[in-house]
Amino acid sequence: MDKLSLEMKSRIAGFSGPVCRSLICLGNNSHSRVQETAIPMLLDVPDHMKDSIFADKSFASEEQLEKEFNSIFLYTSIIREKKFKCREYGECTGVVTARNLIDPLNTPPFLYVSDPTNFTEKENIRPNIYFPERIEIRNSSAAYTLHGRVYSSSNGDHFFTDVCYKIINTTKYLVLIDNLHNNIKVITSDVIKAGKILRRYPRTVYACYKKL
């Protein structure tokens, strides 16, 4: 990602500029304001959140895992709602609610989510993060589907290997593209099987979501 030009980055990932962040003071509305902030291109899953959304956690259904991911991770990383004491003039006793305001027209074509746990030469100390098949950005019309993954080898030697969907002769396949060996391996064309594999593929360092 670091090798891409700024123009290419703006076309495939990240919000196309700063987003508005509202700060509403419940004690004194005159202290409320709107400021600009930035959302990073790569959305890291915070370490303290992993116990809530790891792939092997016991849930009644994958729908619950998907709901957990959307409500915890996306809300924390994109909306980023926080509450704190108003600091205006040092006298206000009100509580400020700060949150990002997402413009549906400013949502990127792809979202890239990373799991920093797998950027290591050691074996994972925790299970893989569960990446749902579909995610939505709350308070906007933007929805995304899981499109591919970049993962690391078992010994931690990272390479640009991608597990993703590819159309071959009008048929949608889940394939493995290994840039070290310059070949494509077809995993399956079974939609249900492909979805399960893609959502839980081991040692993922990046997951790519494509806008619907």
Side-chain angles (χ1 to χ4, degrees):
M1 190 70 72
D2 292 336
K3 296 180 180 180
L4 297 178
S5 66
L6 292 177
E7 180 182 358
M8 178 60 72
K9 286 182 180 181
S10 66
R11 291 175 60 185
I12 67 170
F15 290 76
S16 59
V19 300
C20 293
R21 184 166 179 82
S22 69
L23 296 94
I24 306 300
C25 177
L26 300 180
N28 189 329
N29 191 54
S30 65
H31 296 168
S32 301
R33 62 192 185 279
V34 175
Q35 63 186 33
E36 289 187 344
T37 188
I39 297 177
M41 181 180 301
L42 296 177
L43 303 173
D44 289 345
V45 176
D47 191 65
H48 70 274
M49 292 175 52
K50 292 184 179 181
D51 287 337
S52 299
I53 53 178
F54 65 75
D56 294 337
K57 186 174 181 178
S58 296
F59 280 82
S61 64
E62 290 205 9
E63 286 76 13
Q64 287 190 350
L65 269 170
E66 181 174 318
K67 182 179 180 180
E68 192 84 355
F69 185 96
N70 278 275
S71 64
I72 295 180
F73 172 66
L74 284 181
Y75 195 75
T76 301
S77 299
I78 296 182
I79 303 300
R80 294 175 56 204
E81 181 172 306
K82 294 183 178 180
K83 296 181 183 293
F84 50 86
K85 182 180 178 181
C86 182
R87 305 185 184 95
E88 197 75 19
Y89 308 118
E91 301 175 356
C92 183
T93 59
V95 174
V96 172
T97 299
R99 64 197 316 273
N100 292 342
L101 305 175
I102 305 301
D103 182 354
L105 299 179
N106 188 31
T107 52
F110 294 93
L111 288 179
Y112 292 90
V113 183
S114 67
D115 179 2
T117 299
N118 285 327
F119 285 93
T120 175
E121 294 183 0
K122 300 178 181 179
E123 292 296 323
N124 287 343
I125 59 174
R126 296 184 181 182
N128 284 288
I129 293 298
Y130 173 83
F131 292 101
E133 185 171 1
R134 177 186 171 95
I135 59 176
E136 298 178 358
I137 297 180
R138 191 178 298 185
N139 298 328
S140 81
S141 58
Y144 294 80
T145 183
L146 184 58
H147 183 67
R149 289 177 179 249
V150 174
Y151 67 96
S152 71
S153 58
S154 59
N155 63 3
D157 294 330
H158 295 200
F159 46 91
F160 299 107
T161 303
D162 200 11
V163 184
C164 61
Y165 287 116
K166 185 176 180 63
I167 304 297
I168 303 176
N169 295 328
T170 71
T171 301
K172 186 176 183 180
Y173 292 93
L174 184 68
V175 301
L176 186 150
I177 304 174
D178 189 334
N179 290 41
L180 289 182
H181 299 93
N182 298 316
N183 60 11
I184 294 179
K185 177 183 177 181
V186 174
I187 299 175
T188 183
S189 61
D190 185 299
V191 176
I192 296 177
K193 183 178 179 181
K196 290 182 178 180
I197 293 174
L198 192 56
R199 291 193 292 276
R200 297 175 180 272
Y201 209 87
R203 299 196 64 86
T204 296
V205 291
Y206 295 115
C208 171
Y209 283 87
K210 184 178 181 180
K211 191 174 183 179
L212 294 172

